[in-house]
Amino acid sequence: MKNYKIAIIKGDGIGPEIVDEAVKVLDAVSAKEDFELNYEEYLMGGAAYDVKGVPLPDETVEGCLNSDAVLFGAIGGEKWDKLPRELRPESGLLRLRKELGVFANLRPTQVFDELVDASTIKPEVLKGVDLFVVRELTGGIYFGEPRAKEENRAYNTMVYTKDEIRRIAKIGFESAMKRRKNLCSVDKANVLEVSQLWRETVEEVALDYPEVSLSHMYVDNAAMQLIRNPRQFDVILTGNIFGDILSDAASMISGSIGLLASASVGGKVGLFEPIHGSAPDIAGQGISNPIATILSAAMMLRFALGEVKAADRIEKAVKNVLKDGYRTKDLSSLGAKEVCSTSEIGSIIADYVAKI
């Protein structure tokens, strides 16, 4: 029997309760697919600061690096907002990504037929949407030097090397090969030299993937097209700041941030997490939606462990649970047969996983 070591970081706010449900589902699917998951819990974020005085203890970094994958809930909250920047929960997450060496953020957006009315966008625009954003995570303007804030001016630097572009482009094309073989590279090559290098390098990498249809789109047009006609997209490949904005825009297509998973990969160990925050205002009430974390666990099985059948089983279970009318409070107005607590929806999905 195959055995995997999983680092668990529950984090702050609703993090512990949503991760608990993902583990419940993982246990159900591992029993059916004949592999074993061994979990070790570690601290990060505000919870780590309260105990250790830092947002990312060294033992968490070491534990994650010695694992096959990291499953993470959420961090942050007003309690820690006034700390110096280096001690805030978010700084712990940025450092963990750096320590793990992850450089590609993967965000799928799929519209479930049963929830097509959840978005503010017309159902006829959304039906059948299934897109995948590949965002470069460790370069670009967020990390470029020099950067400074002076009394009367401030500046940042947008930098990409050819090697950085090439490695993220390969992940984009590999993703497209596993899907519908269409890749749209998003840049601003009409005004930015860094985007001109981006486009040139993506076109060079495309030569190794003749089966993939490559197109280019300026980021402002891409933002408009995501809302106007999101069905046109299969895989979207883009840089850090553009990907940050476009992936959040894409999240509105699904109508609920509580449904959207993500993966950060490409380095030593992959990091898998829901895209939503820690929602401290509802923590402990049993009303948070764990589906995004459960789907992040499915991504972990698919991309980190190679357990594709197990990932498929979880994703099918989630779809069937929604089809049968089970909803958490955030989705209760959308054809709910039964409104479930956080724990109840996790148990129902685990049961469906076992029956598939």
Side-chain angles (χ1 to χ4, degrees), residues 11-13 43-57 76-81 83 87-89:
D12 308 319
L43 293 173
M44 185 172 73
Y49 176 81
D50 288 348
V51 175
K52 301 286 187 176
V54 292
L56 183 66
E78 288 184 13
K79 178 180 178 182
W80 305 284
D81 282 351
L83 290 171
L87 295 178
R88 291 177 194 166

Side-chain angles (χ1 to χ4, degrees), residues 64-70 100-102 264-272:
C64 291
L65 286 172
N66 288 316
S67 300
D68 294 304
V70 182
L100 296 179
V102 295
S264 297
V265 300
K268 309 175 189 81
V269 181
L271 176 67
F272 301 84

Side-chain angles (χ1 to χ4, degrees), residues 281-293:
D281 54 319
I282 63 168
Q285 297 179 36
I287 61 173
S288 58
N289 185 344
I291 290 179
T293 314

Side-chain angles (χ1 to χ4, degrees), residues 168-304:
I168 190 67
K170 285 181 178 179
I171 287 184
F173 280 101
E174 291 291 341
S175 299
M177 286 292 293
K178 296 172 184 175
R179 292 172 52 88
R180 301 190 300 276
K181 296 185 173 62
N182 292 299
L183 185 144
C184 179
S185 177
V186 175
D187 58 40
K188 194 64 176 166
N190 54 336
V191 293
L192 295 175
E193 285 79 4
V194 68
S195 280
Q196 292 165 12
L197 179 65
W198 178 281
R199 185 172 290 207
E200 291 166 6
T201 307
V202 169
E203 289 180 345
E204 289 173 7
V205 175
L207 297 174
D208 296 328
Y209 299 90
E211 295 177 66
V212 176
S213 175
L214 170 66
S215 61
H216 300 281
M217 193 175 288
Y218 296 142
V219 63
D220 42 356
N221 186 30
M224 180 183 72
Q225 294 296 333
L226 262 178
I227 307 303
R228 177 180 174 273
N229 180 21
R231 274 197 302 269
Q232 71 184 279
F233 295 108
D234 178 15
V235 174
I236 295 173
L237 169 69
T238 193
N240 203 343
I241 188 169
F242 298 157
D244 192 5
I245 297 164
L246 292 177
S247 56
D248 277 2
S251 73
M252 271 311 299
I253 292 169
S254 77
S256 175
I257 204 168
L259 298 172
L260 296 173
S262 79
S264 297
V265 300
K268 309 175 189 81
V269 181
L271 176 67
F272 301 84
E273 60 181 299
I275 76 164
H276 59 70
S278 63
D281 54 319
I282 63 168
Q285 297 179 36
I287 61 173
S288 58
N289 185 344
I291 290 179
T293 314
I294 291 168
L295 291 174
S296 296
M299 291 188 77
M300 178 184 78
L301 294 172
R302 185 181 305 281
F303 292 102

Side-chain angles (χ1 to χ4, degrees), residues 14 16-26 28 112 114-115 256 258-259 276 282 285-295 313-332 334-355:
I14 63 172
E17 56 202 85
I18 57 177
V19 170
D20 284 346
E21 299 314 305
V23 169
K24 186 188 291 182
V25 173
L26 284 169
F112 296 98
E114 297 74 26
L115 303 178
S256 175
L259 298 172
H276 59 70
I282 63 168
Q285 297 179 36
I287 61 173
S288 58
N289 185 344
I291 290 179
T293 314
I294 291 168
L295 291 174
R313 186 184 283 264
I314 291 177
E315 290 166 359
K316 186 175 181 180
V318 168
K319 188 171 185 177
N320 288 346
V321 165
L322 293 173
K323 184 178 180 181
D324 289 347
Y326 296 101
R327 307 281 189 269
T328 44
K329 185 180 179 181
D330 57 315
L331 302 174
S332 60
L334 300 164
K337 180 185 81 173
E338 182 178 333
V339 178
C340 306
S341 69
T342 306
S343 178
E344 287 168 345
I345 197 79
S347 295
I348 291 167
I349 293 170
D351 288 344
Y352 273 56
V353 160
K355 293 173 184 174

